[in-house]
Amino acid sequence: MSASCHEPPPYDLVIGGGLLVHPHRSVPVSGDVAVRDGRVEAVITPGSADARCGRFLDARGLLVTPGLIDLHTHVYDGRTGLGTPADTVGVEAGVTTLVDAGSVGCDSFAHFDATVVATGSTRILSWLNISRHGLTRGTRELAERDSIRHAETVRTILENPATIRGVKVRMSRSVVGDNGLEPLRAAKRVTAEVAAATGRPFPVMVHVGNAPPALGDVFDLLEAGDVVTHAFHGKRGGLFPAAGSGPISQALAAVRRGVRLDLGHGSASFAFDTMERALEAGIGPHTISTDIHQENVAGPVRGLTTTMTKMLALGLTLNETVRAATSAAAETIGLDGELGTLAVGSVADLTVLDLAEGATRLVDAEGRTRTAEALLTPVATVRAGVVHDIRKATE
């Protein structure tokens, strides 16, 4: 996929010959992306730099997007039951940035930082769990009232601002026990203190599932920039209170004030039927994420590009789908302009994709199926200017 160049290179790398999928344009456009010192140096006329670069990555017949960002993952491998190796679902799967969603809390963040964030090739960020234990002691991390340490959580966030991008709280019956809405209120107190200390918005990501607490009550506590993940599950007590009804009023009000709905596929948290009803009601996903972990990486999730393909099958355009896995995700974690874009000066994180035609059977978390007319598959990942050739690695 590469060729030697014969002149002193003005660029370290050129990704050339592909169609560029800019998140905020309606259709892909021709162009080559030139990289220098780990950043996008220029977007140039196709073919104009093939012989003047340090390396040429041939993307002919392929799509070139900003580096994919998976906003909801579990990659604390070995220390939690769900953790999966980061690079396996990261750069080896076309994803440049993984945001671990609450695997760790303040007690274990330092170990996570040293053993996961600082190792491997994929960029790892974190939604810090409001529970001090995260998922290191199982999945009922909020059932005990003394699991939340406000001061220690705030201090951990303020000491690690580059990595910790928000707070995660899981608000479903099996997690919170008898604590009701208090864990979410505690998370909001933490994010308010962090926002005041840093001068920038600091979001909460809320996992929703089986009630109690009621979904409407959860929405009522959220503000602009906060995220509801698993928003399109098919369980009782979700977005739609009854067959044939519209979405619950609290969800509509929350979306209007800027609360973001995240797909968060997972093993039991994404239903084609729910997503189709939501799209008809005009409240599709702001972001597309996987909730990928050990128990679903072999199916039904498989990876971010498969999850994106499911949204293509439900009618989202290619650009809408890419936006939800790039620029919208970057905005959510406060890194817009730095990640999730092909703009000059941004980090040179890119994904090269093949949109291969042919009917593909897709399965949601409830075992229901849809058929896609084409499948997005990763061919190469460029992480801060470094190429990870997926196709060559699997040959």
Side-chain angles (χ1 to χ4, degrees):
M1 248 178 124
S2 63
S4 298
C5 301
H6 305 292
E7 299 177 10
Y11 308 124
D12 302 325
L13 169 70
V14 170
I15 303 97
L19 286 175
L20 307 184
V21 185
H22 293 275
H24 296 289
R25 293 187 182 179
S26 58
V27 293
V29 297
S30 297
D32 291 359
V33 180
V35 174
R36 187 176 180 86
D37 296 330
R39 291 192 173 265
V40 176
E41 181 78 5
V43 178
I44 55 182
T45 303
S48 63
D50 293 5
R52 300 187 297 108
C53 61
R55 181 175 183 183
F56 180 71
L57 180 61
D58 187 353
R60 287 175 294 183
L62 302 170
L63 303 171
V64 179
T65 76
L68 301 182
I69 301 169
D70 196 339
L71 203 64
H72 184 159
T73 68
H74 292 281
V75 291
Y76 197 14
D77 184 28
R79 292 294 292 267
T80 65
L82 297 179
T84 193
D87 283 348
T88 301
V89 298
V91 293
E92 295 170 17
V95 182
T96 56
T97 300
L98 300 169
V99 191
D100 184 275
S103 297
V104 297
C106 58
D107 282 3
S108 50
F109 180 81
H111 183 268
F112 173 76
D113 189 40
T115 61
V116 179
V117 176
T119 64
S121 299
T122 308
R123 177 185 293 101
I124 307 297
L125 303 175
S126 171
W127 297 94
L128 189 71
N129 202 313
I130 191 61
S131 164
R132 61 186 294 192
H133 308 300
L135 302 181
T136 61
R137 296 188 179 184
T139 57
R140 286 181 55 81
E141 70 273 16
L142 291 170
E144 299 178 5
R145 291 185 181 276
D146 66 353
S147 64
I148 297 174
R149 294 285 189 269
H150 178 97
E152 290 90 335
T153 300
V154 170
R155 183 171 62 250
T156 300
I157 294 168
L158 294 178
E159 289 175 351
N160 299 276
T163 301
I164 302 175
R165 310 307 300 184
V167 170
K168 174 74 180 295
V169 57
R170 300 200 308 142
M171 295 299 294
S172 56
R173 180 181 59 211
S174 62
V175 180
V176 300
D178 297 327
N179 289 327
L181 290 167
E182 179 52 30
L184 177 54
R185 293 191 178 102
K188 290 297 295 179
R189 290 193 290 269
V190 166
T191 57
E193 184 169 337
V194 172
T198 60
R200 69 174 179 87
F202 201 74
V204 169
M205 172 183 271
V206 186
H207 155 124
V208 296
N210 289 315
L215 181 58
D217 293 339
V218 170
F219 273 119
D220 284 344
L221 292 176
L222 302 181
E223 301 169 282
D226 290 334
V227 180
V228 173
T229 191
H230 308 317
F232 306 95
H233 67 71
K235 305 166 190 174
R236 293 181 61 184
L239 279 177
F240 299 94
S245 73
I248 59 175
S249 60
Q250 296 98 324
L252 295 173
V255 169
R256 285 194 295 269
R257 66 178 180 268
V259 174
R260 301 177 176 205
L261 305 185
D262 176 59
L263 192 150
H265 193 305
S267 298
S269 299
F270 171 67
F272 285 131
D273 290 349
T274 302
M275 181 63 79
E276 286 166 336
R277 291 178 69 181
L279 290 172
E280 290 175 1
I283 56 168
H286 188 83
T287 49
I288 295 172
S289 72
T290 61
D291 182 25
I292 201 161
H293 53 71
Q294 286 281 14
E295 297 176 5
N296 62 40
V297 67
V301 174
R302 300 191 179 277
L304 184 54
T305 55
T306 299
T307 305
M308 294 166 68
T309 300
K310 292 176 183 182
M311 293 312 305
L312 292 176
L314 295 185
L316 260 64
T317 68
L318 176 64
N319 282 70
E320 288 170 337
T321 301
V322 169
R323 184 183 310 131
T326 57
S327 63
E331 291 165 3
T332 299
I333 53 176
L335 292 172
D336 47 314
E338 183 76 354
L339 304 179
T341 177
L342 299 177
V344 172
S346 63
V347 175
D349 280 11
L350 303 99
T351 301
V352 181
L353 298 168
D354 187 12
L355 185 59
E357 294 185 0
T360 301
R361 180 177 175 270
L362 302 167
V363 183
D364 69 6
E366 300 196 330
R368 295 186 173 88
T369 63
R370 297 292 186 274
T371 299
E373 299 304 317
L375 176 67
L376 279 172
T377 57
V379 174
T381 310
V382 180
R383 162 76 170 88
V386 177
V387 177
H388 301 266
D389 195 332
I390 299 167
R391 182 170 290 176
K392 184 177 292 185
T394 58
E395 288 175 351

